[in-house]
Amino acid sequence: MPCLNTLYAILRPESFNEYRLVKFDVVVIGAGAAGLHCAAIAAARGKTVLLLDHAKRPGKKILISGGGRSNFTNYFIEPEKYICENPHFCKSALSQYTQWDFIALVEKYNIAYHEKTLGQLFCDDSAKEIVAMLVSECEKNKVNFSYQTEVLKVGKLDDGQFTITTNKSDYICSNLVIASGGLSMPKLGATPFAYKVAEQFGLRIVPTKAGLVPFTLPPELKDPLALISGVSMPVSISSDTASFKEDMLITHRGLSGPAVLQISSYWNSSENISIDLLPAGDFSAELEKAVQEHPNSQLKTFLGNLFAKRFVDTYLNLINFDSVLLKQLDHKQKNFLTESIHNWKVKPSGTEGYRTAEVTLGGVSTEHLSSKTMEVKSCPGLYFIGEAMDVTGWLGGYNFQWAWSSAYVAGINVR
């Protein structure tokens, strides 16, 4: 039998350094939410695991999430709250590892948490607790870490094993898990690495774009609204295919807030969005009541009882409507105001893009992956998990839950 170095010299691809070779059962690339969880799960099964990342520390996106408190999951996880070419794909993973499983892990570490709204769960203290928990799970199961490590090349040998060439060392493994995320928030180190690996192995990439991201507005809307930036209000906001009822925030660049972030994932650049500024009320009925009871009141005084006063003057200017006495409004004007309040049509000029996007829509097509294991059907031993693939959840802990669930099913199935 030839010596080890000679054997790998025969098997290795060009530039692979057999003298620095390190062998693992599993190599996970990406020390974010999905990568940390997957590495810990695989290592708990007795697998030798290496976790690589180009950053100086793990979990950077976790640390800034939820305003630094990490919206780590949601009580109401459902497959219908995920966007994917195949709407059935996420069902298996979400059922194999549920929100209750991750909550149990959080409780095991005595991390205090609370429900903020709509089932969204946040740490009482800091997102650092979630990162520390995941790192602890890795450490107790003897995961090997390598930070500030640049992956230069990925290859596959004739015997089915994978090779990873880095700026520090060369590795060989039976299972390669890509958990390097998507393109959102490049300041945190986001790269298209996962897509390049996928294309290398012949996988299709669903076109990507920024998701859960603020809208930018054309100058005729942006400039006047910028003067009242900071105004927030409950709205119902709709695109051609979806609708959300949450808060909207006016910013100096455009529109943000939970409602806007949600609808952005469904918006196409050719369409308007419709904003109901009074989703819990009937503007027509409120107006008729005010006309009867306070006919000599100014329109803007009436509107100031429904909306922030800073917003009223700006909005009347935007819809080219003068403030008059309520009794002066005719039937046509009342209908116009009602339509404007309940169906304000806005056409964004775009979004703020990946710079502020919380997630990436699109990614590695799920047609190539097993929904039960996240393994590439045509390439045994290769897995994609988390944001790298074409699965995107709603705002509110859904994307973290996808990270946990997809990581778990990959971790329990690596060989």
Side-chain angles (χ1 to χ4, degrees):
M1 180 176 179
C3 71
L4 185 63
N5 285 343
T6 302
L7 179 62
Y8 283 124
I10 296 171
L11 294 176
R12 67 179 176 85
E14 185 180 358
S15 84
F16 195 70
N17 189 336
E18 68 271 21
Y19 297 106
R20 295 186 296 159
L21 181 70
V22 185
K23 174 76 168 67
F24 291 93
D25 295 327
V26 183
V27 172
V28 179
I29 299 178
L36 285 165
H37 197 46
C38 181
I41 296 295
R45 296 176 50 228
K47 304 297 180 182
T48 56
V49 179
L50 172 66
L51 183 57
L52 301 175
D53 200 287
H54 58 48
K56 294 181 180 180
R57 57 179 182 172
K60 293 179 72 174
K61 203 167 182 181
I62 301 173
L63 292 171
I64 69 162
S65 67
R69 291 192 174 182
S70 183
N71 180 193
F72 57 83
T73 193
N74 193 293
Y75 279 141
F76 306 120
I77 299 295
E78 297 173 326
E80 293 75 21
K81 295 173 181 176
Y82 290 85
I83 302 169
C84 178
E85 276 189 340
N86 177 359
H88 302 290
F89 180 82
C90 63
K91 291 180 179 178
S92 178
L94 292 174
S95 65
Q96 289 185 67
Y97 191 86
T98 71
Q99 64 270 40
W100 310 112
D101 293 312
F102 193 77
I103 290 168
L105 181 60
V106 169
E107 291 177 346
K108 175 183 172 183
Y109 277 78
N110 296 313
I111 297 173
Y113 64 91
H114 62 278
E115 179 186 0
K116 186 174 181 180
T117 183
L118 301 174
Q120 301 169 10
L121 301 186
F122 290 77
C123 296
D124 285 358
D125 185 17
S126 169
K128 293 178 182 179
E129 294 177 291
I130 298 296
V131 175
M133 174 190 76
L134 295 168
V135 170
S136 177
E137 285 290 293
C138 287
E139 290 177 341
K140 80 174 186 180
N141 291 308
K142 298 181 173 55
V143 170
N144 296 270
F145 293 89
S146 182
Y147 299 123
Q148 295 181 279
T149 301
E150 181 184 0
V151 177
L152 304 174
K153 183 183 291 188
V154 171
K156 191 172 186 183
L157 303 176
D158 291 341
D159 65 355
Q161 295 188 93
F162 297 90
T163 59
I164 302 97
T165 303
T166 79
N167 62 326
K168 290 185 176 180
S169 188
D170 295 334
Y171 305 98
I172 187 168
C173 61
S174 301
N175 302 271
L176 177 60
V177 182
I178 307 299
S180 55
L183 301 174
S184 59
M185 298 188 180
K187 66 182 180 181
L188 297 182
T191 73
F193 176 81
Y195 311 141
K196 291 181 179 178
V197 173
E199 289 174 337
Q200 177 184 337
F201 287 92
L203 311 186
R204 181 173 69 90
I205 305 299
V206 176
T208 59
K209 65 177 183 177
L212 298 180
V213 62
F215 284 135
T216 55
L217 298 174
E220 62 270 21
L221 280 177
K222 174 189 171 184
D223 294 344
L225 287 175
L227 299 175
I228 58 168
S229 63
V231 170
S232 178
M233 65 187 77
V235 301
S236 178
I237 189 167
S238 305
S239 68
D240 290 347
T241 58
S243 181
F244 293 93
K245 189 176 180 180
E246 292 192 60
D247 286 351
M248 177 181 76
L249 174 68
I250 296 171
T251 74
H252 63 280
R253 290 186 294 270
L255 300 177
S256 188
V260 172
L261 299 186
Q262 293 280 41
I263 207 66
S264 71
S265 293
Y266 292 86
W267 175 73
N268 293 311
S269 59
S270 61
E271 64 179 318
N272 292 328
I273 55 169
S274 172
I275 304 174
D276 183 346
L277 296 168
L278 196 67
D282 182 335
F283 182 81
S284 179
E286 293 280 355
L287 179 58
E288 287 298 336
K289 181 181 177 182
V291 169
Q292 295 299 318
E293 297 179 356
H294 308 285
N296 293 313
S297 290
Q298 284 281 334
L299 173 62
K300 68 177 182 180
T301 302
F302 161 68
L303 292 175
N305 294 323
L306 299 176
F307 308 104
K309 289 180 173 59
R310 292 175 63 205
F311 175 75
V312 171
D313 285 337
T314 298
Y315 187 70
L316 287 174
N317 287 332
L318 285 174
I319 63 173
N320 297 312
F321 205 100
D322 293 328
S323 181
V324 297
L325 297 179
L326 293 181
K327 66 182 181 182
Q328 295 176 310
L329 293 170
D330 60 28
H331 182 69
K332 184 177 179 180
Q333 290 173 316
K334 291 176 183 177
N335 286 341
F336 174 78
L337 285 169
T338 298
E339 177 69 10
S340 298
I341 293 298
H342 285 303
N343 189 21
W344 182 28
K345 296 290 188 182
V346 173
K347 187 168 186 179
S349 59
T351 73
E352 292 188 9
Y354 294 118
R355 181 180 64 83
T356 59
E358 296 198 16
V359 292
T360 304
L361 291 157
V364 180
S365 174
T366 59
E367 69 183 340
H368 302 292
L369 309 175
S370 163
S371 63
K372 295 180 180 179
T373 67
M374 304 298 124
E375 186 175 25
V376 176
K377 298 173 185 176
S378 60
C379 187
L382 179 61
Y383 300 76
F384 288 86
I385 60 175
E387 190 183 347
M389 72 180 76
D390 174 38
V391 176
T392 304
W394 285 9
L395 182 74
Y398 294 92
N399 288 292
F400 273 135
Q401 185 57 47
W402 177 247
W404 317 136
S405 296
S406 61
Y408 174 82
V409 298
I412 64 171
N413 281 287
V414 291
R415 294 179 287 277

